[in-house]
Amino acid sequence: MSKKSVFAYLGTLLAFLVLDGLWLGVLMGPTYKSLLGPLMLDQPRLLPAVLFYLLYVVGCVVFVVLPSVGWQRAARLGALLGLVAYGTYDLSNWATLQGWSAGLAVMDMAWGAVLTAACCTFGHLCAHRVQH
């Protein structure tokens, strides 16, 4: 694994943890709790959460960060990847779970697109710092 790949991964992961932590823990935690009520655990399960972040960031780096020539492309492709990934999750939940609303799906899909765009952009900038 190259130094560029390591910096891409660590930068993307750091951005993802900080931004998603703020979103879930500070900004939207109460909203999710009120919308999902009994579907939510009192405390999230740590292992699946860690595995999600580690795996999702691999996808970001492999499919977006490293192949992108410029940060603008990383942002655009990151937004698309986030929309597709979060859309798969949210639309499946909306189709199969009681209490999963269209509003929740749209809000979460928008967040996935913005979050992934920002994190892929940051990861791209970190990866390309190594070359200089």
Side-chain angles (χ1 to χ4, degrees):
M1 184 179 286
S2 71
K3 192 173 179 183
K4 180 178 177 181
S5 297
V6 170
F7 273 74
Y9 186 84
L10 293 176
T12 306
L13 180 63
L14 175 64
F16 207 99
L17 292 173
V18 168
L19 294 176
D20 211 32
L22 287 171
W23 176 261
L24 294 173
V26 177
L27 299 173
M28 295 303 293
T31 301
Y32 283 118
K33 189 76 169 169
S34 71
L35 290 173
L36 297 173
L39 292 176
M40 289 189 67
L41 298 170
D42 291 333
Q43 291 293 320
R45 291 186 181 106
L46 189 56
L47 179 61
V50 167
L51 292 175
F52 164 75
Y53 287 115
L54 295 176
L55 181 62
Y56 192 73
V57 170
V58 167
C60 290
V61 171
V62 169
F63 297 124
V64 176
V65 174
L66 293 177
S68 294
V69 176
W71 70 266
Q72 298 94 337
R73 183 160 173 83
R76 284 192 308 272
L77 289 177
L80 178 60
L81 177 62
L83 181 64
V84 169
Y86 279 64
T88 301
Y89 172 77
D90 284 297
L91 295 173
S92 295
N93 285 344
W94 183 26
T96 61
L97 298 177
Q98 284 184 339
W100 202 277
S101 66
L104 177 58
V106 169
M107 177 184 68
D108 202 50
M109 289 167 61
W111 173 243
V114 169
L115 172 65
T116 308
C119 294
C120 287
T121 301
F122 188 73
H124 177 81
L125 294 173
C126 290
H128 286 76
R129 277 270 156 209
V130 174
Q131 294 177 342
H132 302 320

